[in-house]
Structures are given as C-alpha cells and as structure tokens.
Amino acid sequence: MTQADRETVTLDDPPRSRPVSITVLAWFLIVGGALFLLMKPITWSEFTLERNLWNTFSKAASLVCGIGLLGMRRWAVVLYFGLFALNCVLIYTWPPNEMVLVQYSRPGPIAVMMIVPAIVAAITLPRWKAMRW
C-alpha cells in the first residue's frame, strides 16, 4: 500500500469518537450485567425456574448491549429497548409471585422502572446517526 493509498483510506473514514455519556452507559450495563450473573447463584431459589432463566438471559443480553454500545452499534440500542419492552410484558403476564406483585403494583417503582430507559433514550437516540449497525 502506497502513501497515497493510506491517506485516501484515512481521509475517507473519519474517526468515530464515542461520547463519554455512551461510554459510561455501556460500562454501567457491562458491570451491572456481570455482577448480576456472578451473584445469581445466591438468589436462584427466590423465583420460579422460568423467572430465573429469563433474568439470567436478560442480564447477559444487557451485558452484550453494553459491549455493543462501546462499539457504537445501533443493534445494541434496539436490543436494549426490546428487552425492556419484553421485561415489562413478562412482569405482569408470567405467573406472579407475591414479591413481584407488591413491588410492581405501586406507582413509585413503576416510575423508577421507566427512568432508566428514558435516560438511555436521551443518551443514545440523538447519536443514532453516528452509530452503525
């Protein structure tokens, strides 16, 4: 590769810098998912098998979302919001246990549950065009 070829390649592909807010969000998802997966064996007996499997899958997927956000990938944002929507549906449709019903039948926890996706949307959606699939 000649010097002119290298200059053309570097001029055509401007560096995509990742904003600090996305970096912080990505590491939050990675660390949170990893800690949950490490601690899951301790809390395994608190829920039914289906809920435990879904919680484990969901947190592993959020870890993957964090890795995708570090790479500025759109699929990570889509996966995050898909998981959030599915979690909202599953909270109320799976056979509930008493702790879940008490926690998610009051307006306070529901409002708090909506704050995190609102923050994720505020951070990622304005930078949608800077991301790649």
Side-chain angles (χ1 to χ4, degrees):
M1 188 177 234
T2 66
Q3 181 67 22
D5 291 336
R6 276 188 235 128
E7 287 177 9
T8 321
V9 169
T10 56
L11 291 176
D12 290 341
D13 298 328
R16 295 176 188 224
S17 61
R18 182 177 58 239
V20 174
S21 57
I22 288 187
T23 303
V24 169
L25 176 64
W27 280 107
F28 176 74
L29 289 171
I30 291 169
V31 170
L35 287 176
F36 179 87
L37 292 174
L38 290 173
M39 299 301 290
K40 189 59 187 168
I42 295 171
T43 63
W44 189 261
S45 63
E46 291 180 18
F47 301 106
T48 63
L49 177 64
E50 295 86 10
R51 280 194 191 274
N52 280 319
L53 291 175
W54 173 252
N55 287 342
T56 303
F57 170 77
S58 177
K59 289 304 175 183
S62 88
L63 192 143
V64 170
C65 287
I67 293 169
L69 282 175
L70 284 178
M72 292 289 289
R73 301 296 186 156
R74 289 179 184 169
W75 59 259
V77 178
V78 172
L79 178 62
Y80 176 82
F81 285 111
L83 284 171
F84 173 73
L86 198 53
N87 269 327
C88 288
V89 169
L90 292 178
I91 283 173
Y92 296 106
T93 58
W94 271 359
N97 70 11
E98 189 175 332
M99 184 176 77
V100 171
L101 284 177
V102 167
Q103 183 68 21
Y104 292 107
S105 63
R106 299 179 312 213
I110 292 172
V112 170
M113 182 175 75
M114 299 305 224
I115 289 173
V116 174
I119 292 169
V120 171
I123 290 172
T124 58
L125 296 182
R127 294 162 181 87
W128 185 259
K129 289 186 179 182
M131 296 180 174
R132 60 187 192 273
W133 282 102

